[in-house]
Amino acid sequence: MGLIIEATDDTPLVKLDETGRILIEGRSLPENVALFYKPILKWIEEYVKIPAQKTNVKIFFTYYNSSSFKCINDILYKLIEIYPKHPMKIEWLYEEDDQSIYETGLEFQKELGVPFDIVEKPVIEEKKEKLTIRSRKNNKTYEVTREYWNLIVRNGRDKDFDILR
């Protein structure tokens, strides 16, 4: 049986199915990382016991925190236990301007020893949109992306700033 976890502002979309399709996509900064990733790791542990004939893994993070990275690392290292007995391909996607996620993909590509593609995706337009804001505390101005502004709002810090444009 598969596992689907819908995305939220702070957790990725997760689709795992016994036919070998594994997708993790979005932002990963859950309040309780261990709790969020526990059912995913459990599913992966069961999957590797009787894997599909071919496994296709697609991972596309727009952001992740260090605790999430640890869990993704655990997931990938567990999955490669089935290779080469069962064919596997991993696609690591990153947004064209995200050097950090790109470099993480390069590290995994070198370490894992399985077919591993690193795929560049264009940045979605909302992320390119910039806002100029001014801090009410120090009167400094900053240029931030719309996505970063949304993170400020979610963290309740928007009252500390004025939007200039």
Side-chain angles (χ1 to χ4, degrees), residues 46-76:
E46 291 303 312
Y47 175 79
V48 299
K49 291 176 185 175
I50 308 172
Q53 287 296 344
K54 182 173 184 181
T55 301
N56 290 303
V57 179
K58 184 182 276 190
I59 298 175
F60 179 31
F61 284 115
T62 56
Y63 180 83
Y64 60 84
N65 59 18
S66 57
S67 299
S68 295
F69 171 81
K70 163 98 172 70
C71 292
I72 293 303
N73 188 62
D74 292 347
I75 288 168
L76 289 173

Side-chain angles (χ1 to χ4, degrees), residues 2-165:
L3 175 67
I4 297 175
I5 301 172
E6 295 297 333
T8 69
D9 286 339
D10 295 327
T11 60
L13 168 66
V14 177
K15 291 184 178 181
L16 312 171
D17 75 47
E18 56 280 346
T19 65
R21 291 184 305 233
I22 295 171
L23 170 70
I24 302 173
E25 176 179 272
R27 297 168 47 86
S28 185
L29 54 154
E31 199 168 304
N32 186 330
V33 174
L35 183 64
F36 177 78
Y37 279 98
K38 184 177 181 176
I40 299 165
L41 286 164
K42 183 178 181 198
W43 189 93
I44 296 292
E45 287 170 0
E46 291 303 312
Y47 175 79
V48 299
K49 291 176 185 175
I50 308 172
Q53 287 296 344
K54 182 173 184 181
T55 301
N56 290 303
V57 179
K58 184 182 276 190
I59 298 175
F60 179 31
F61 284 115
T62 56
Y63 180 83
Y64 60 84
N65 59 18
S66 57
S67 299
S68 295
F69 171 81
K70 163 98 172 70
C71 292
I72 293 303
N73 188 62
D74 292 347
I75 288 168
L76 289 173
Y77 274 92
K78 188 68 178 172
L79 279 170
I80 65 169
E81 290 178 11
I82 65 174
Y83 185 81
K85 189 174 181 181
H86 297 273
M88 175 185 297
K89 180 180 180 185
I90 298 173
E91 277 187 296
W92 182 269
L93 295 93
Y94 72 98
E95 291 181 315
E96 63 191 342
D97 65 346
D98 196 330
Q99 192 66 23
S100 175
I101 291 179
Y102 169 73
E103 288 174 2
T104 300
L106 286 177
E107 289 175 30
F108 279 130
Q109 186 181 47
K110 289 176 190 173
E111 292 177 18
L112 294 176
V114 300
F116 194 109
D117 292 334
I118 299 176
V119 180
E120 180 181 277
K121 304 256 311 180
V123 176
I124 59 172
E125 287 304 312
E126 180 179 289
K127 287 184 161 187
K128 289 182 180 179
E129 182 185 353
K130 302 278 186 177
L131 300 173
T132 303
I133 60 176
R134 181 176 42 230
S135 169
R136 292 181 177 173
K137 291 181 179 180
N138 63 19
N139 211 32
K140 288 186 179 180
T141 59
Y142 304 93
E143 188 172 85
V144 299
T145 63
R146 170 69 65 182
E147 181 183 37
Y148 191 77
W149 174 252
N150 291 342
L151 183 60
I152 291 170
V153 170
R154 278 201 315 277
N155 288 326
R157 302 289 311 273
D158 54 314
K159 60 187 171 286
D160 298 336
F161 298 92
D162 293 313
I163 298 177
L164 302 177
R165 66 170 179 92

